[in-house]
């Protein structure tokens, strides 16, 4: 059985570093990029990605704009997208899910909760 592949999209390299190291230790295969635009390019070319961890607050294109575009890629329409955000105010989870995210997790990321969410893929 192949490892599950996760694309981590975050404009902060420290967040990417922490998530990649955590997920690799749990036998996930990880790719990462620093922008939603780059994520879209990757997802158009690679149909072996099982999940995307999408930072919702990024410059240029944020996760709210990127998630519907990801879901519009024919080979990615069923890709599991997790909204990852420091915005943990009332209504933020609903806003992320309305944008098309399949799950939501706030920063700082609770690793056990993230692994439980990724267990769904």
């Amino acid at each position: 059985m192949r490892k599950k592949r996760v694309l981590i999209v975050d404009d902060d390299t420290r967040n990417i570093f922490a998530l990649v190291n955590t997920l690799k230790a749990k036998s996930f295969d990880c790719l990462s990029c620093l922008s939603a635009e780059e994520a879209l390019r990757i997802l158009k070319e690679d149909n072996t990605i099982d999940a995307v961890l999408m930072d919702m607050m990024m410059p240029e294109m944020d996760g709210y704009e990127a998630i519907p575009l990801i879901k519009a890629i024919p080979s990615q329409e069923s890709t599991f997208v997790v909204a990852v955000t420091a915005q943990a105010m009332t209504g933020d989870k609903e806003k992320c899910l309305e944008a098309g995210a399949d799950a939501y997790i706030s920063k700082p990321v609770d690793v056990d909760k993230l692994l439980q969410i990724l267990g769904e893929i």
Side-chain angles (χ1 to χ4, degrees):
M1 190 169 140
R2 75 173 178 85
K3 291 181 179 182
K4 296 291 185 181
R5 295 188 81 212
V6 178
L7 173 61
I8 301 164
V9 186
D10 199 310
D11 60 325
D12 188 332
T13 56
R14 296 167 297 182
N15 292 333
I16 289 174
F17 179 81
L19 287 168
V20 166
N21 285 305
T22 299
L23 293 175
K24 281 190 174 187
K26 298 295 183 181
S27 297
F28 286 90
D29 184 19
C30 298
L31 301 167
S32 63
C33 62
L34 296 169
S35 71
E37 294 88 351
E38 189 178 352
L40 289 167
R41 282 193 299 278
I42 291 168
L43 290 163
K44 286 176 183 172
E45 297 172 8
D46 187 341
N47 63 357
T48 64
I49 293 171
D50 298 296
V52 177
L53 301 183
M54 176 64 69
D55 181 16
M56 297 305 285
M57 303 303 290
M58 291 185 292
E60 289 153 44
M61 183 187 301
D62 65 19
Y64 299 103
E65 187 179 349
I67 291 172
L69 296 175
I70 290 169
K71 297 290 187 166
I73 300 169
S75 63
Q76 302 296 342
E77 56 197 10
S78 63
T79 299
F80 195 82
V81 178
V82 181
V84 183
T85 183
Q87 302 290 319
M89 306 294 286
T90 302
D92 286 330
K93 178 178 182 179
E94 292 75 16
K95 186 176 173 187
C96 292
L97 297 176
E98 284 173 17
D102 298 292
Y104 165 93
I105 192 164
S106 60
K107 293 178 184 177
V109 172
D110 177 330
V111 174
D112 291 332
K113 185 175 180 182
L114 178 60
L115 293 173
Q116 181 181 8
I117 289 169
L118 292 177
E120 297 178 32
I121 61 171

